[in-house]
């Protein structure tokens, strides 16, 4: 009868766990995930970053919330995988027009491969974005 999960209610995950929208491998639920992020600004109008994040389940008998996978017996280990993400943004017209391209790749770990209902493919997500500020 206990629910010990963190419930964020609202808010973006982008700054923590990678791009959102159709891709959202991680959320603030049953997760241990340290990360490393390197940001660069080679020119005043160009910036980008590369990020690396390994992830484990806090409890191997609980669910990987965003994937909907669960192994109540805990036989599928707890490592979810390695996520690598990158983004480049060009401010074509500063404060008016910006172009972004980015991607995320999740190299699946034992739990993501072996849990009941898991699929074998590792997701690769690519996006492009145009921001116009009026």
């Amino acid at each position: 009868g206990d629910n010990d999960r963190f419930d964020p209610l609202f808010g973006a995950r982008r700054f923590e766990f990678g791009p959102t929208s159709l891709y959202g491998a991680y959320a603030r639920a049953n997760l241990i995930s340290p990360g490393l992020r390197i940001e660069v600004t080679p020119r005043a109008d160009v910036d980008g970053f590369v990020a690396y994040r390994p992830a484990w389940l806090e409890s191997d008998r609980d669910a990987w919330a965003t994937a909907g996978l669960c192994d109540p017996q805990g036989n599928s280990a707890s490592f979810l995988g390695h996520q690598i993400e990158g983004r480049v943004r060009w401010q074509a017209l500063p404060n008016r027009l910006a172009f972004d391209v980015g991607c995320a790749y999740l190299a699946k770990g034992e739990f993501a491969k072996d849990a009941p209902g898991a699929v074998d493919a590792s997701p690769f997500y690519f996006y492009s974005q145009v921001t116009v500020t009026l």
Side-chain angles (χ1 to χ4, degrees):
D2 289 339
N3 181 350
D4 296 326
R5 293 205 174 174
F6 175 80
D7 185 358
L9 297 179
F10 303 102
R13 302 177 294 191
R14 171 71 163 130
F15 69 98
E16 293 176 320
F17 299 124
T20 57
S21 184
L22 297 175
Y23 180 85
Y26 304 133
R28 298 178 192 129
N30 191 35
L31 188 71
I32 299 172
S33 185
L36 174 67
R37 181 172 163 144
I38 299 170
E39 298 187 21
V40 297
T41 307
R43 297 180 358 189
D45 61 342
V46 176
D47 67 90
F49 72 85
V50 175
Y52 167 72
R53 176 175 296 283
W56 294 263
L57 295 175
E58 171 69 29
S59 169
D60 59 1
R61 295 173 187 261
D62 196 356
W64 179 12
T66 55
L69 297 176
C70 185
D71 183 356
Q73 285 72 40
N75 296 326
S76 301
S78 64
F79 186 61
L80 298 174
H82 304 275
Q83 178 176 278
I84 300 168
E85 177 190 3
R87 187 208 69 211
V88 174
R89 177 175 39 215
W90 173 45
Q91 298 279 345
L93 299 171
N95 300 317
R96 295 280 182 221
L97 179 64
F99 298 93
D100 290 33
V101 294
C103 64
Y105 174 72
L106 176 61
K108 288 185 171 183
E110 292 88 359
F111 183 87
K113 291 177 184 175
D114 300 337
V119 295
D120 194 29
S122 291
F124 178 80
Y125 178 79
F126 173 82
Y127 68 94
S128 62
Q129 172 178 305
V130 177
T131 304
V132 177
T133 305
L134 302 174

